[in-house]
Amino acid sequence: MSAGPHLPQLTPPPKAPEFTPTSIPTPVPTLLEVLRGLDTGPRGLTEGQAGERLGRFGENRVPDTRDPSWARLLARSARDPFTAVLLCLGLVSAAVFAWGTASVILLLVAVSCVLRASGEHRADRSTAGLRRLVATTVTVQRRADEDTAPATREIPVEELVPGDVVRLGPGDLVPADVRLLRSTGLTVHQAALTGESAPVPKSADESDPIGTDPAGTDPAGTDTAGTGVFQQPHLCFQGTSVASGSATAVVTATGADTRFAAAHRRTGKPPATSFERSVQGVSWILIRFALLTPPLVLMANAALRGRGLETLPFAVAVAVGLTPEMLPVLVTTCLARGATLLARTHDVIVRRLPVLHDIGAMDVLCVDKTGTLTQDRPVVDRAVNAEGRDDPEVLRWAAAAAWWSLQLADLPAPDALDEALLTTADEDALMAYDGVTALPFDPARRLATVVVRTPGRLGTHTLITKGAAEAVLERCSLPDEERAQLRALAAAQAADGLRVLAVATAERPAGTRPHERGLTFRGLVTLRDDLVPTAAEALAGLAERGVTVKVLTGDHPGTAVRTCRDLGIPVAGVLTADRLDTLTDPELTELASRTTVFARCTPEHKTRVTRALQTGGHTVGFLGDGVNDLPALRTADVGLAPRDAAGVTRDNADLVLAGKDLTAIGHAVAAGRHAGGNIASYLRITLSSNLGNVIAMLSAGLLLPFLPMLPAQVLVQNLCFDAAQLAFAYDRPAPSALRRPTVLEPRALLRFIVGFGALNAVADLATFGVLAFALRGPGDDEALFHSGWFTENLLTQAVVMVLLSLGARGTSGRRPGPVTWSAATLAATGLFLHMSALGAPLGLSPLPGVYYGLLAAVLSLYAAGLMTARARQERRSPSLA
């Protein structure tokens, strides 16, 4: 069709819109309107028009995002608040001339930045994988000029433009968004966009049915068309592939304007995990304390003691003591050990270490049905006659039809339903027939028919028809009442989540044309999805760990509910895509937590449900394998993919599984909770102990005529405590800690730190009284005070490590672990360091014997108070147990 004054000027095709819950379907333009809008016709474009449009619209490529340079990734990592804490510590250490400590901290900063930049760099490479799902060449119909007949030829897919007419055949990837002009028996795999497991029939005729399979209206007698654009029978989309049939179509959108590109458009670097956000919250608390401590100490000493800048080294050392220098080392060690264990024993690859904590905090796991809960193939459930009773003869007829369709119609392989029939059927029974001809399944008729020679009856052939219940029943000689009863029987089976095949036969004289009328109804064959063998056990294990499974699928709600019921998943509610589209975000947030099955989901629906669950306060994991799962995979707190997933999906996943075995996810949850529990224990114990020491030290500094501890002693004490706490990375949490999500909440952590920090400060100040009583008289009271408090601080910290790590569990039935042995080493250091050769250089001196007796009494009272407070805390907040 040439351009003319009566035709509208060609404009760029509209960009694929982002999903909005309140969007209202617009009227579908007719074929004539589409062709006029594109200024083209059934004969295609001329070469000149195609060249002009290529320059206007650009190449037909999935848009790529340029990966940021290493320098930019490192700079982005250095801006993180967690890294800022380490930088502050390094500067503080350098200010008090602790060059060794400053060097170690700065090295940790460099390692942290490199690790973070490496993870982001791997994720940024994933977009290139999108091209693997797009065709490389396409058969296009073009003309040399206006007066030349159209000719077909192969061109690179990048040269395709809106208005081109293309031809599609079996196995072809759809190269762009297209509108069908003509089609013959066309079915399309569009799981990459919708998640539907079965090929979808397509037709150039907008009135043709869609969403049906050989078993019926998916499963039978139910609406499957939906309201989404992907269910339009005359439209095909980039990223899908032709399963069978052929078609001629006009290109409506290319490149960045396709639905495929819109669904998987990059949104920047991966969002921070919930663990990273929690650590950032803790980091900002530490920054504030670290920055406020030196000026507060200076002002208080100047006002009450008349001291000046000579207290600056002490104030800076106290600020260093407040902050846990070993936090990055312990976090990395905990997460790396968990990741290594998963890779070595369960073939689970953790691609981003912080996500290991998030999977431990996960309380909702979203999965697709097909391939995760089921094996992407149907199996025969029952074969029943017209009375609804089991009848193996019905299955024998259906299997014979499947066998001879495969043999006579020259099909490359049986479809999934025929394969299920052949797997169940007896081979000898199939060989009893001799096939004559076959009419393969046609999406428009929803039938398949074969003609076989009737055994023992020369000159007579038997016609066997199978297909959708409605289509077969229309061709049977039945009273209306009986036909209605059989329809109700088929509908009841479909409502139970089964696919339904109807089977009918008729005898015809040999040599006559197959006539699919006046058939004798034989019965129904029902099929269900084959379950993954380990799914039920794995789901039970996840439920025991407090993880709720939600099914987000592109399939029919009935089949999804049936699968859940077979696996023992309680179905609290079902939402379909059309209902979901009517909900506002707050309504969906409230409803999503109470819904188990989300059916007929597009990628946008899956993403929206995932976001709604997160808004509702859940930590969400998403298991997906197709490109259609990418948006939700990126949105979820934890993205999981099997090793055989699409390359781009696997590259975007946080955890990669050896297969779609949910058992591996259970192991990952346990490893995440193990690592998260140890990190949380470290943070609670370290920060509460450090806060108590700082409060006591600042109080004593205002009461004493000298500093309660020298800056070097503060730093050495802090170093000893930090080194001992590395044992938390190797601790064994109690089994009860693995049965609930491990969540690091900054507010709850702050309450714990303040409460137990105050208790620790009371013990330190009690020691201050002991020292004042026991160390009177000698002229070196200052050195003795430093030694006594140095020893007491290390001993109380050892007590805190043991008692708070054990909590109410106590030590019964539990051998001493790494934390206990490390605490014992820390206590020994406190008791003997001042007697060693290192004591004098640090300003420490031997203590009198009476001090140890009084110190034992203080520590006993402190331990009793600590256990009482801990038991009370566990009763109020079990998550801190």
Side-chain angles (χ1 to χ4, degrees):
M1 183 181 296
S2 60
H6 63 286
L7 294 179
Q9 179 65 33
L10 177 65
T11 57
K15 292 183 180 294
E18 299 293 335
F19 175 78
T20 55
T22 58
S23 59
I24 300 174
T26 56
V28 178
T30 65
L31 176 58
L32 182 59
E33 290 172 337
V34 170
L35 293 176
R36 284 179 174 174
L38 292 168
D39 193 11
T40 188
R43 298 197 303 159
L45 300 174
T46 66
E47 294 294 346
Q49 289 173 324
E52 184 271 332
R53 295 185 186 192
L54 183 62
R56 193 192 320 177
F57 297 116
E59 292 187 335
N60 179 34
R61 294 178 180 271
V62 175
D64 246 346
T65 300
R66 185 178 179 181
D67 293 342
S69 64
W70 263 98
R72 186 171 181 180
L73 289 174
L74 286 172
R76 182 189 300 170
S77 300
R79 295 198 305 266
D80 188 85
F82 181 61
T83 305
V85 172
L86 298 180
L87 289 173
C88 288
L89 289 176
L91 295 175
V92 167
S93 299
V96 296
F97 305 107
W99 301 114
T101 303
S103 300
V104 171
I105 293 174
L106 292 176
L107 177 62
L108 292 175
V109 170
V111 171
S112 176
C113 290
V114 169
L115 290 176
R116 185 183 299 273
S118 299
E120 292 187 7
H121 178 66
R122 287 194 301 268
D124 286 336
R125 293 180 305 176
S126 62
T127 304
L130 289 172
R131 294 185 182 178
R132 301 173 191 170
L133 295 176
V134 180
T136 55
T137 62
V138 60
T139 301
V140 66
Q141 180 176 294
R142 286 183 179 171
R143 297 169 292 156
D145 53 49
E146 291 287 351
D147 300 323
T148 306
T152 59
R153 64 185 181 93
E154 293 281 328
I155 65 169
V157 72
E158 292 84 1
E159 297 179 8
L160 204 63
V161 296
D164 264 327
V165 173
V166 298
R167 294 186 177 180
L168 303 173
D172 286 348
L173 292 173
V174 179
D177 288 358
V178 300
R179 205 284 189 196
L180 297 178
L181 300 176
R182 295 180 297 277
S183 65
T184 304
L186 183 67
T187 62
V188 175
H189 285 293
Q190 54 183 31
L193 292 172
T194 67
E196 291 173 289
S197 56
V200 177
K202 296 285 186 176
S203 172
D205 185 354
E206 298 175 23
S207 64
D208 275 359
I210 184 170
T212 59
D213 55 27
T217 53
D218 191 15
T222 54
D223 172 50
T224 62
T227 58
V229 66
F230 299 115
Q231 277 69 46
Q232 296 295 332
H234 51 284
L235 300 179
C236 296
F237 304 92
Q238 186 183 52
T240 63
S241 61
V242 177
S244 63
S246 61
T248 301
V250 59
V251 175
T252 59
T254 59
D257 299 320
T258 63
R259 296 272 173 173
F260 181 84
H264 311 303
R265 190 171 289 127
R266 288 298 304 269
T267 57
K269 69 184 183 69
T273 68
S274 64
F275 172 69
E276 289 172 320
R277 293 192 295 270
S278 298
V279 171
Q280 288 172 5
V282 174
S283 300
W284 281 114
I285 294 173
L286 299 179
I287 290 174
R288 295 185 183 99
F289 273 107
L291 294 178
L292 286 174
T293 297
L296 287 177
V297 172
L298 287 175
M299 289 188 294
N301 277 274
L304 300 178
R305 288 291 178 179
R307 298 170 184 157
L309 291 178
E310 64 270 16
T311 59
L312 178 60
F314 171 72
V316 171
V318 170
V320 173
L322 177 65
T323 312
E325 291 89 344
M326 292 296 107
L327 179 57
V329 177
L330 186 130
V331 168
T332 302
T333 303
C334 281
L335 298 178
R337 288 188 72 245
T340 301
L341 180 66
L342 284 174
R344 186 173 63 247
T345 60
H346 303 296
D347 290 333
V348 176
I349 307 302
V350 180
R351 300 186 68 252
R352 295 174 60 199
L353 283 182
V355 174
L356 188 61
H357 175 276
D358 282 355
I359 199 170
M362 181 179 72
D363 60 340
V364 172
L365 174 63
C366 298
V367 300
D368 194 359
K369 176 184 70 68
T370 305
T372 302
L373 305 179
T374 64
Q375 298 194 70
D376 200 15
R377 67 171 182 262
V379 293
V380 173
D381 182 66
R382 294 179 65 193
V384 298
N385 57 23
E387 289 75 34
R389 294 192 296 268
D390 290 336
D391 187 349
E393 189 73 8
V394 177
L395 180 60
R396 184 173 66 84
W397 285 116
W403 171 257
W404 288 110
S405 289
L406 178 65
Q407 301 300 318
L408 299 176
D410 197 23
L411 300 176
D415 66 19
L417 299 181
D418 284 350
E419 188 172 13
L421 296 172
L422 295 175
T423 301
T424 309
D426 179 66
E427 186 174 345
D428 292 336
L430 296 179
M431 296 299 103
Y433 298 97
D434 186 12
V436 177
T437 187
L439 300 175
F441 177 78
D442 184 350
R445 299 186 312 122
R446 297 183 291 163
L447 294 172
T449 297
V450 300
V451 178
V452 298
R453 292 185 176 90
T454 306
R457 296 185 61 184
L458 293 175
T460 302
H461 290 171
T462 300
L463 182 146
I464 310 171
T465 298
K466 65 177 177 63
E470 182 69 25
V472 172
L473 288 172
E474 285 178 357
R475 291 163 171 79
C476 292
S477 297
L478 292 169
D480 291 341
E481 182 179 351
E482 185 177 354
R483 182 179 285 109
Q485 291 175 349
L486 292 173
R487 285 174 178 167
L489 176 63
Q493 299 292 327
D496 199 30
L498 298 171
R499 297 183 181 186
V500 182
L501 275 173
V503 183
T505 64
E507 291 189 355
R508 300 282 190 263
T512 60
R513 233 178 125 184
H515 181 58
E516 297 167 337
R517 293 290 174 186
L519 306 179
T520 301
F521 183 78
R522 293 292 182 176
L524 302 173
V525 178
T526 59
L527 304 99
R528 57 176 173 80
D529 289 328
D530 193 15
L531 303 178
V532 174
T534 60
E537 180 182 356
L539 290 170
L542 289 172
E544 289 178 0
R545 291 187 169 96
V547 179
T548 301
V549 173
K550 297 186 182 294
V551 179
L552 279 63
T553 179
D555 283 345
H556 188 274
T559 58
V561 170
R562 172 67 184 235
T563 298
C564 291
R565 187 168 69 248
D566 290 345
L567 290 172
I569 303 175
V571 178
V574 180
L575 265 182
T576 56
D578 52 354
R579 166 78 174 114
L580 196 151
D581 287 343
T582 65
L583 298 174
T584 64
D585 287 341
E587 290 173 339
L588 180 59
T589 298
E590 193 273 334
L591 196 57
S593 297
R594 299 185 282 107
T595 302
T596 303
V597 174
F598 300 84
R600 293 299 188 194
C601 288
T602 65
E604 292 88 351
H605 291 128
K606 293 181 180 182
T607 303
R608 191 171 173 230
V609 170
T610 301
R611 191 175 293 116
L613 290 167
Q614 291 172 317
T615 304
H618 297 284
T619 300
V620 182
F622 188 94
L623 173 61
D625 64 344
V627 182
N628 61 302
D629 296 321
L630 263 180
L633 196 83
R634 290 174 178 156
T635 302
D637 298 292
V638 183
L640 305 100
R643 189 171 297 172
D644 58 355
V648 63
T649 305
R650 186 175 60 249
D651 290 343
N652 275 267
D654 301 310
L655 276 78
V656 178
L657 313 177
K660 288 186 180 178
D661 187 357
L662 295 178
T663 305
I665 299 179
H667 294 308
V669 169
R673 292 181 181 177
H674 189 143
N678 287 346
I679 293 171
S681 295
Y682 166 80
L683 285 171
R684 290 195 296 265
I685 293 171
T686 299
L687 296 180
S688 61
S689 181
N690 285 0
L691 179 62
N693 288 340
V694 167
I695 293 173
M697 206 169 294
L698 293 178
S699 302
L702 298 177
L703 297 173
L704 292 172
F706 51 82
L707 294 177
M709 204 178 291
L710 298 177
Q713 294 167 350
V714 175
L715 293 174
V716 170
Q717 170 192 275
N718 199 51
L719 180 62
C720 292
F721 192 27
D722 288 338
Q725 288 175 326
L726 288 177
F728 280 106
Y730 304 91
D731 193 25
R732 300 186 305 273
S736 60
L738 304 180
R739 290 197 291 266
R740 58 176 175 267
T742 304
V743 181
L744 183 61
E745 298 180 357
R747 290 186 178 180
L749 177 63
L750 185 58
R751 288 194 297 269
F752 187 99
I753 292 169
V754 172
F756 283 89
L759 185 61
N760 182 268
V762 170
D764 286 347
L765 292 174
T767 305
F768 174 81
V770 168
L771 291 170
F773 173 78
L775 305 179
R776 291 178 298 175
D780 56 350
D781 282 355
E782 184 174 342
L784 288 175
F785 189 94
H786 292 162
S787 299
W789 208 343
F790 183 90
T791 299
E792 184 271 344
N793 276 338
L794 291 186
L795 289 175
T796 54
Q797 288 172 340
V799 170
V800 168
M801 285 180 61
V802 174
L803 296 185
L804 289 190
S805 63
L806 293 176
R809 301 190 304 268
T811 58
S812 59
R814 182 181 170 96
R815 293 184 299 173
V819 171
T820 302
W821 290 114
S822 182
T825 303
L826 181 65
T829 302
L831 290 172
F832 299 109
L833 182 62
H834 63 276
M835 304 178 189
S836 68
L838 296 176
L842 290 175
L844 303 175
S845 60
L847 293 164
V850 65
Y851 167 76
Y852 293 102
L854 295 172
L855 179 60
V858 171
L859 291 178
S860 298
L861 293 173
Y862 176 56
L866 197 63
M867 288 303 296
T868 301
R870 174 68 188 199
R872 183 181 178 186
Q873 179 75 35
E874 290 179 355
R875 286 194 299 270
R876 291 191 305 173
S877 302
S879 62
L880 296 177

